[in-house]
Amino acid sequence: MKNYYFLLLLLLPVLVFTSFAQQIGVPYRIGAKFGVGTTGGKMIIPAEYDILQPETYNDYRYFIGYKLVDKGNLSTLIYKNKIVLKDQNYSSYYINNELVKAIEYKLLNKPNRYDTNRHEEMVHLYDLKGKKIFQTDFKSISVIDDIDDTKKITAVLIYTLDANDFESLYMYDTKQKKITKIFIENAKPINANFNYTDDYRDRTITNIYKDKNGVGKEMILELKNNVIVVKSETDINFKAENQRNIDSDRYSDVMAIPDEKPKIIINSEEEKKILTVRKVERKGGFYYLPKKIEELKITNIKLKEEEQFVVSKKNKQGLFTVYNKTYVIPVTYDEIIYADFEGRNSGYILRNEDKYGLFIYSHNDNRTIVPIFDKIPLLENFNYFGEKIPLIKLYDEYGKLFCYADETGKLFYKK
């Protein structure tokens, strides 16, 4: 029996640590600083950050913590409630295929609103244990994994572009956590065509470039028997060099617009149509400048009358959509305020006296959070705690970020 208790005591720290790692951490404010905690206020990562930003990228969820220092920011990457990189000079992080792109912006001189290119960007690549993949940094790094649409292989392709605009192409194994092959090294890139985006059956990539000796080359990579191999490599002559950008978007969304506009009907003389409403959004800034505590700005916006408008009746407001000929927000609120949310969802802030709620557009199932907050709310992540269970940001009376909360009004904050 004594041996049993001794073994249990040995396992207890492991069980507690595993439990913390599996919990959904929230950005929790204690005093003036943020850390990662449970919804109940148990701290997982100490509250030592001036800013703690939840991020979602390529289905990876993580936090970036910022410490505001005299010469800029120090950033920390937190993934699965563990610190991956701590107090670095990076502005942002992007996770893809167990790899981390860490972005460093260097200001060349003071920017202004009419000249925004006075900076340079360097990209560093790490794995999720904080180990650096390349000892040099690059102007750009692109991780390509969609040659395998079944996601059966552990290899990804990495394109790098160095400070002299020379490109290399590597194969990295996410299971072995190392570079396993170099396909192209120190070449002048001309064009890359991902052929499977035109025909999903053609699992090839055509790379056209000048090698280190200035010779034109065409290399075709192929996914064959779950292995990325060189299908062919030939010398070519060409006249025009068309620089390609691996990171450019290859897809666009198309929205159908109805040919006819439904007629707008106001049912009584008591109802008043309102087209100009207040708008709440975060103050913007150059993305490459040091991060600052978030602040709101309030302006006015004119709604498109052919799409939607606010209806006022007996000092209450609602939102009428023209296409569906219905009120998506009933006429029960003191004010309806247009809101700029994070992510894909759009919506409105609902005010009754000094309490605020949210209306969130969601495909076939809009969400309304009745006015329960005494601070101004904005949607941070619609599916943070599960499907359509959001994380919300709250801003104080001066428009500064105060803390985060859930939809029930629970604040993730302690004095």
Side-chain angles (χ1 to χ4, degrees), residues 229-241:
V229 297
V230 177
K231 181 180 180 180
S232 64
E233 185 174 7
T234 57
D235 293 348
I236 61 171
N237 293 317
F238 47 82
K239 296 180 180 179
E241 296 185 0

Side-chain angles (χ1 to χ4, degrees), residues 316-328:
K316 293 293 183 180
Q317 294 184 359
L319 186 70
F320 185 85
T321 59
V322 176
Y323 183 70
N324 294 321
K325 296 182 181 180
T326 187
Y327 285 94
V328 292

